[in-house]
Structure formats: structure tokens, C-alpha cells
Amino acid sequence: MLTALVAVPVIGALLAGFAGEGRGPRVIAALAMAVELGLCLALWLEAGPLFRIGGHGAWLAYESAAWIPRFGIDYQLALDGLSLPLLTLTAALGLVGVGASWTEIRERVAFFHANLLFALAGTVGVFLATDLFLFFVFWEVMLVPMYFLIGIWGHEGRTYAAIKFFIFTQASGLLMLVSILALAFLHADAAGGFSFDYFDLLDLDIGAPLATWLMLGFFVAFMVKLPAVPLHSWLPDAHTAAPTAGSIILAAILLKTGAYGLIRFTVPLFPEAALAFAPVAMALGAASIVYGALLAFVQDDLKRLIACTSISHLGFVLLGVFAWNPWALQGALMQMIAHGVSTGALFLLAGALQERLHTRDMAAMGGLAARAPVLAGFGLFFAVASLGMPGTGNFLGEFLALLGAWQASPLWTAISAAGLVGAAIYALILVQRSFHGEPPADLRPADFDTREIAMMGALAVALLWLGLYPQPVFDLAEPVFATLLTETRP
């Protein structure tokens, strides 16, 4: 089943790439992601008993086969209650991304959908790989297709944005590769053979100075992808230039690989070094929350505003991860999922407006509530969800992250709470400037059609479900976090 999760988008990408132009690639991509979503839902319904691998964890499924035995490299995939919700998010938002590009992409349609599915396949691999060499391969696989999505089908400034995205992620990824190789050599010194096995490396005893440097190699790579201040500057450019599907995939899914890496690798592999570094990491989380909100205030470009809010919202994830207690970790996971749904919906909305109005400038909008009421209604719902309205998953994620962070650092928690005020302001600015006020005389946008209503409605239901009945997510993740907390306890 785990190999199938990786194989389905890969096969879909190959079929879509050779399907010619027209509807064929779109249909193939949609079917591939529908099958992927079905597999994820089947895993939710048929989750088996938990078991330990290498003496670690509470795992649901595991696959392993020798790949390059000379260097201790295996094809090794594993699934637990942390990765399964993120895989489901990947499949669901991948399907939305295909739907969002249904009428927007008109040139090189086959190549576009092949790249979209390859990026999603790399993300699936990142969430499943437990061999660190294989993890790095998947990490690189998801970058190249995204570079093409931005650079070929993006909007103005796309070449600059694509190159900036690639340089930031590739350079930080090389730092992570150095740390991975160092761990393999340390294992060879300790056990007489190379190993990239996550479960073997968890048992390594690494001295304090070296552990700190190796931890920083992982930390910087994941901070860039999250992204967090001061490594965030690539994000607004990439989101602004990307096509709608690219923005959805980037914000809703690829950014979560950074947060996932912090939870899965950075703290468990280097618990003492990471927890000693926690005050600095929490300070960066608080800075991201406040600075991201301030950046959003001054934006006129709708997509750029939404992009800046991601910096702020994912600061709560960074804060929660390094608070490293059950409340904070559950809040970080819920924020990852809810942010993916709400921000993906907002980028879908921004793409629909750009397709209709040929502009992202909010000053050229206004009055949409009267002329496109369904579009404006969904915009209001997701803007309000983004500011953390009770009853939505966003509220639960931020509340639990702050609750857990307060136990670790009241100072940074209090500063971070100011971001909630900022979220309310920029969300209301978005609603007021885009949907209300005096409309331009020539503004006659079409309202959402059936396809768009179906996608936005599904995302709205998901966000309400996360806010009103989050227990299935909490129950699935609780054994994972309990094990991680026990194994990293000083």
C-alpha cells in the first residue's frame, strides 16, 4: 500500500505527460489524485494495530527492501499517525490543484500536469521515507517540478521567482545532505557499517558540539521550506508568480514538509541539541508570526497578501514544535492541516479572480459581494477561518500551539498572541477591499461555476469538520507524539 501511494502519482504523471494536449492530461491527473485520496481514506478506515520498528515509534505500516546495500541504503517507507493526515491533505489538495488548472492552463497542458503530479509524488515520498538517503531523494524530486511550474506557467517575474525558489531550497537542502552523510559516517564508526536507516540513527550517541552543528543542517533546510524569518524571502515572489495550482500545492502541501521534517527528524535525531536550541527557535516562530502579519498589512497584490499570511500562520507551527509538549505538538499538526485547507482555498479564490479580472490588485476590485455573491461568500468564510474563528480548524491549531507554548515560554507566547490581532486586521482588509466598497464601472465578473463551488464547498466542510470534530486527528497522532516525547525526554 505504501509503495502504491508513491506509484500512483508517478504513473499518473507519466500517462499525463504522453497524453497529448486537450482534456486527456487533465482527466488522467484528476483520476490519479482521486485514486490517491481513496487510498489515503482506506488507510484511515483500516488502520491496523500499532507496532514498533527498531524499538521505536507507534507505526501503522512499514515496507523495506535492500536498495544499495554496500552503503547501507534501503528502500524504506513507514506510515504513522503523523504522516497519514498529511498524506490525506496532499491527495485532497492535489485534486483541488488539478481542478483549479482546468481552464487556466491552455499551453503545454500535458507537461504541466506531469510536473504537478511529480511534485506531489515527491511530497508523498517525503512523508513516508524512513531511510534518510531516500528521504533526500524525494526532497529533491519535489523541487524540480515546482521550479518548472513557476518558471514556465507563472505570471510576471516568474523566471526570477523560480530561480530564487530553487536557490533557497537547493542550498539549504545541501546543508541537510551534509548532516545526513555525517550521520551515516558516525554510524559506520560506531557499528562498523554505513546506515541511513532512521531507526538506527535514532540510537546514535553524538557529542554535544557536533550534534548542534548537524541539527542546524536539518533545521535550516526545514526552516527555509516552512518558511520562517529570516529565511522567508523567496515565498512571496514564488506565490505571486506561480500559477494557481502551483500556489495551492506550494502553500497547502510543500510548506508542510518543512514542519514535518522538524517533528520527524530535527528533534528526535538530536534531542538534547534541539531542545537546548528551543528558545531561539521559539523566538524565530514569534518573529515570523508578527512580521508575517506586518508584511500582509502593506500588500496590494491579493496573492502576495495571502502568501505573507502563510509566514505568520506557520510561525505558530514552529512555536509549537519547539515547545515540544503534547498540547503544542497537537496544535502544530492541526495548524498544518487547517492552514493547508484554508490557504489552498484562498489561493483558489485569488486564481479565479485573476482569471476573471486579469489583475490581482485589490484596488481594482471592490463590490464583488453584489456582483459575484457566491464567490464573495466563500471568500468571506475562508478569510474569517484564516484569522482563527472558533469552529474552524485554524482556531484549534493556534489555540493549542499557544497553550502548549505558554508552558515552555510565556514571553514568546505573549508576543505571538499579538499575531492573532494582526490576522484579524489583514483578513478584514482582504474582505473589505476585494468584496465591498464601490466597484469599478466595468467590473462584471462571472460568479463561481459548479466546478468551483464543489471544490470550495468541500474545503469549507473539511475546515468545519476539523474545527468541530477534531478527535480523529488527535487520536491518530497521540501515540506518535507520546512516543516522541518519551524518547526525547532528557
Side-chain angles (χ1 to χ4, degrees), residues 287-325:
S288 298
I289 292 166
V290 175
Y291 185 64
L294 293 174
L295 281 179
F297 291 155
V298 298
Q299 304 302 323
D300 295 317
D301 185 304
L302 179 58
K303 286 186 74 174
R304 202 170 186 90
L305 185 152
I306 299 168
C308 292
T309 67
S310 292
I311 300 170
S312 183
H313 291 311
L314 293 174
F316 287 99
V317 175
L318 181 58
L319 191 76
V321 169
F322 280 89
W324 204 247
N325 57 56

Side-chain angles (χ1 to χ4, degrees), residues 125-137:
V126 163
F127 290 141
L128 289 174
T130 50
D131 179 282
L132 267 65
F133 185 85
L134 181 64
F135 171 82
F136 182 77
V137 170

Side-chain angles (χ1 to χ4, degrees), residues 115 119 123 138-151 157-173 221 224-227 231-242 246-247 249-251 253-255 257:
N115 278 283
T123 308
F138 283 126
W139 185 267
E140 294 297 300
V141 164
M142 68 182 179
L143 302 184
V144 177
M146 184 55 62
Y147 170 83
F148 286 128
L149 290 175
I150 298 171
R158 61 180 180 267
T159 302
Y160 169 80
I163 292 173
K164 190 174 183 180
F165 161 77
F166 193 80
I167 289 175
F168 267 76
T169 51
Q170 184 70 8
S172 61
V224 167
K225 186 57 67 69
L226 190 60
L231 302 173
H232 66 284
S233 64
W234 64 270
L235 181 71
D237 294 317
H239 272 312
T240 304
S247 292
I249 298 305
L250 186 59
I253 303 170
L254 263 67
L255 302 188
T257 61

Side-chain angles (χ1 to χ4, degrees), residues 134-217:
L134 181 64
F135 171 82
F136 182 77
V137 170
F138 283 126
W139 185 267
E140 294 297 300
V141 164
M142 68 182 179
L143 302 184
V144 177
M146 184 55 62
Y147 170 83
F148 286 128
L149 290 175
I150 298 171
I152 297 176
W153 294 275
H155 306 295
E156 65 277 4
R158 61 180 180 267
T159 302
Y160 169 80
I163 292 173
K164 190 174 183 180
F165 161 77
F166 193 80
I167 289 175
F168 267 76
T169 51
Q170 184 70 8
S172 61
L174 290 176
L175 292 176
M176 180 171 64
L177 177 61
V178 171
S179 292
I180 291 172
L181 293 175
L183 288 174
F185 277 101
L186 288 171
H187 186 275
D189 289 339
F194 292 105
S195 177
F196 292 84
D197 187 324
Y198 172 68
F199 306 103
D200 290 342
L201 299 179
L202 284 172
D203 296 324
L204 276 180
D205 185 14
I206 308 171
L210 180 57
T212 299
W213 286 108
L214 297 183
M215 180 275 296
L216 288 174

